[in-house]
Amino acid sequence: MAFFSSTLTTPQTGEVPRHIAIVMDGNGRWAAHRKLPRVAGHVRGLDAVRNIVDACVQRGVEYLTLFAFSSENWRRPNEEVSFLMRLFISALEREIDKLHESEIRLRVIGALDAFDAFEPRIQELVRAAEARTETHQRLTLTIAANYGGRWDILQAAQKLAFERLLLGPTAFASPFKEADLAPHLSMVYAPEPDLFIRTGGEKRISNFLLWQLAYTEFYFTDKFWPDFDAEMLDLAISEYQKRERRFGRTSAQVRPNSGHLF
Ligand code: FPP
């Protein structure tokens, strides 16, 4: 499978980000501000997911990747983890018809086998939903669940090492190259994100797509995720449009008529 790399080639970019990745933070605080239980924030967070998926389709975004549950979220209280699992299951059951009708391809990335011990139905639902929407091209919606950027790089390295092992010991003599590892990463089917958005006021990546964010533009907002709507998405996109994406080049190379000497 062909893969995309911002370090091996210089990607073509347009006005509308082709791929947006979002850390949907602030559900708990949204609820706390309203004296509601934290889980109420997750329910409203799911409403925001629906709105942003629609908004991305309308704006011609091709890939939307959402961080729904990190490898580290298992550290939360059991009741909250169970609630998030049930919310994920009911969302998969309820939304799949709509995703299919809207020609949206669903992908789920992360160590899904860990859910087996916890909620065996998840894997089954995920695989069925992915298979049903596989051929759609309007938008690829990726949900990162039990995902961690380090996990992703490690699982890719393990697959690459196994591939080399099958070729015999001499295959280890040449160094691993980016082009060898990249096909094993879980988002091989997507270009790297153009725009990374994090809601909820924190300014960190939190072990999201560590490899894929190499040349992504970052946008942070204090808004809590349940309040993030199409208008705020447009603000993030207009901020993105002001950025000069150089991918290591000089301004003069990127915009030869800009008057920049370097
Ligand atoms: C972070 O807010 C949010 C999560 C860990 C869960 C995200 C889940 C959803 C948006 C709803 C379900 C989505 C899908 C795709 C089924 P937080 O709880 O860390 O908020 P806080 O920082 O204010 O405590």
Side-chain angles (χ1 to χ4, degrees):
M1 190 190 286
F3 68 94
F4 305 84
S5 167
S6 57
T7 43
L8 295 181
T9 57
T10 307
Q12 290 291 320
T13 57
E15 283 288 288
V16 175
R18 206 175 159 203
H19 184 175
I20 299 180
I22 308 183
V23 173
M24 309 178 288
D25 199 13
N27 291 350
R29 280 166 289 159
W30 179 93
H33 280 204
R34 287 160 181 78
K35 302 202 174 354
L36 294 169
R38 289 179 53 83
V39 293
H42 296 316
V43 173
R44 288 299 290 268
L46 184 56
D47 293 339
V49 168
R50 288 190 196 94
N51 291 339
I52 294 304
V53 168
D54 286 347
C56 283
V57 169
Q58 284 160 17
R59 284 152 186 75
V61 173
E62 291 174 59
Y63 297 85
L64 173 65
T65 302
L66 303 175
F67 207 6
F69 194 86
S70 75
S71 322
E72 292 73 46
N73 283 151
W74 294 105
R75 297 171 187 163
R76 293 189 174 211
N78 284 344
E79 312 79 65
E80 186 171 337
V81 172
S82 307
F83 185 87
L84 281 168
M85 297 291 153
R86 274 181 279 132
L87 194 63
F88 189 35
I89 290 178
S90 76
L92 277 170
E93 287 173 336
R94 285 205 221 148
E95 309 292 332
I96 188 62
D97 287 341
K98 186 168 175 247
L99 291 178
H100 185 51
E101 280 157 26
S102 313
E103 293 171 39
I104 295 173
R105 171 166 71 149
L106 181 76
R107 284 289 182 105
V108 179
I109 55 166
L112 276 191
D113 48 354
F115 287 115
D116 251 5
F118 203 89
E119 190 47 84
R121 194 163 155 61
I122 289 192
Q123 280 220 51
E124 213 176 284
L125 280 167
V126 164
R127 297 301 161 224
E130 285 181 331
R132 188 159 166 218
T133 59
E134 177 57 35
T135 55
H136 296 323
Q137 289 183 4
R138 187 169 294 240
L139 172 78
T140 296
L141 170 64
T142 301
I143 305 294
N146 195 25
Y147 178 87
R150 291 185 178 180
W151 164 83
D152 197 5
I153 295 167
L154 285 171
Q155 65 81 30
Q158 191 162 10
K159 285 180 183 154
L160 173 58
F162 188 65
E163 191 181 82
R164 292 273 170 112
L165 196 65
L166 294 180
L167 294 173
T170 52
F172 281 96
S174 51
F176 287 177
K177 293 196 290 295
E178 186 184 324
D180 301 323
L181 188 84
H184 299 294
L185 290 164
S186 44
M187 289 212 75
V188 60
Y189 55 88
E192 292 170 22
D194 298 293
L195 174 61
F196 166 94
I197 298 173
R198 181 172 186 141
T199 61
E202 315 290 359
K203 293 180 179 63
R204 51 179 172 251
I205 304 180
S206 296
N207 198 16
F208 199 20
L209 305 158
L210 297 181
W211 178 284
Q212 296 84 350
L213 294 174
Y215 272 102
T216 302
E217 297 297 328
F218 283 52
Y219 179 85
F220 297 98
T221 167
D222 288 339
K223 291 281 173 197
F224 296 138
W225 174 251
D227 290 328
F228 192 81
D229 58 14
E231 208 175 304
M232 290 168 200
L233 178 71
D234 286 337
L235 271 179
I237 294 177
S238 61
E239 172 65 34
Y240 166 82
Q241 288 167 343
K242 291 183 203 145
R243 309 271 175 95
E244 183 179 68
R245 305 200 68 199
R246 294 195 291 275
F247 298 102
R249 296 164 298 172
T250 65
S251 272
Q253 285 174 297
V254 179
R255 293 181 297 134
N257 303 319
S258 67
H260 287 286
L261 289 177
F262 303 104

